[in-house]
Amino acid sequence: NAGVTQTPKFRVLKTGQSMTLLCAQDMNHEYMYWYRQDPGMGLRLIHYSVGEGTTAKGEVPDGYNVSRLKKQNFLLGLESAAPSQTSVYFCASSYMTDLRPRNTEAFFGQGTRLTVV
Amino acid sequence: KQEVTQIPAALSVPEGENLVLNCSFTDSAIYNLQWFRQDPGKGLTSLLLIQSSQREQTSGRLNASLDKSSGRSTLYIAASQPGDSATYLCAVRSSNYQLIWGAGTKLIIKP
């Protein structure tokens, strides 16, 4: 049971380059999220998705785009990387039901360490 | 705006001690609170999830409590072991989609 899988695990980009981070989950979760983690700060939500074909902005969406073409995959794109985007990126997923939409646990991937030089 | 604070930022204790990690939040209107463990260079592992209607949850040597009215949660670790060394994060769910995170407490258990 793989859970939430992120690829790649590490990446170094030059300023202005683009890249896509892939998140895949095999738990049939509706909700998926992308967070970034910076030293001394809590995780911050970049974008999230409540289902296939839907995405929404989180707390820090600027400079990122996302897509959820398939329920199990959530992609995070950086069109023109900047040094300020150096961070560790985490993908998460959770299951939501109509009966108890908020009482659910979030599951996380192993993270992607991105350095922009 | 919900804010989550974890104090202390770092803690070092001898092996075998019982210890308490603290998490406080500013808005008591939460749905649940989750404690995570993060090992260096690794992802986040969920330890305990406390629903807003619950007072505590236990898993092995871990016990998490929740006092919504005072905006506090504690994670109690009994008989600490070097393998417990990690960063512990708490997060509150204040909406359907968003977890609000503390910055974490880095715990070192000395053999």
Side-chain angles (χ1 to χ4, degrees), chain B:
Chain B
K1 179 183 176 184
Q2 179 74 270
E3 293 181 358
V4 179
T5 303
Q6 291 185 250
I7 295 175
L11 181 64
S12 180
V13 300
E15 179 179 4
E17 282 198 3
N18 303 325
L19 59 98
V20 174
L21 306 180
N22 298 296
C23 173
S24 61
F25 46 95
T26 56
D27 186 347
S28 62
I30 67 170
Y31 299 120
N32 60 48
L33 183 146
Q34 200 166 351
W35 282 93
F36 293 85
R37 169 185 173 137
Q38 184 176 26
D39 293 285
K42 300 288 181 63
L44 284 77
T45 301
S46 178
L47 297 173
L48 290 163
L49 171 70
I50 310 178
Q51 309 294 359
S52 60
S53 58
Q54 297 175 321
R55 297 283 292 181
E56 64 179 299
Q57 282 285 333
T58 299
S59 176
R61 294 182 294 108
L62 305 179
N63 177 278
S65 69
L66 175 64
D67 184 343
K68 270 202 340 176
S69 61
S70 66
R72 294 176 185 271
S73 176
T74 61
L75 179 67
Y76 175 81
I77 302 177
S80 59
Q81 304 170 357
D84 294 330
S85 298
T87 295
Y88 290 81
L89 301 165
C90 73
V92 300
R93 185 177 293 281
S94 297
S95 71
N96 274 346
Y97 63 86
Q98 187 159 358
L99 290 171
I100 308 298
W101 295 79
T105 295
K106 183 176 182 180
L107 177 64
I108 297 174
I109 306 299
K110 297 175 291 186

Side-chain angles (χ1 to χ4, degrees), chain A residues 15-70:
Chain A
T15 297
Q17 286 185 319
S18 63
M19 78 163 294
T20 300
L21 282 66
L22 172 64
C23 176
Q25 53 95 3
D26 61 2
M27 296 172 282
N28 202 35
H29 286 169
E30 289 87 359
Y31 278 50
M32 297 187 75
Y33 318 78
W34 276 106
Y35 290 90
R36 60 178 288 172
Q37 184 181 36
D38 299 296
M41 301 180 68
L43 276 72
R44 292 181 292 169
L45 183 65
I46 304 172
H47 286 278
Y48 66 100
S49 168
V50 302
E52 180 178 321
T54 72
T55 63
K57 295 180 179 180
E59 182 184 356
V60 289
D62 294 342
Y64 306 95
N65 57 76
V66 288
S67 64
R68 183 109 180 258
L69 299 179
K70 294 182 179 181

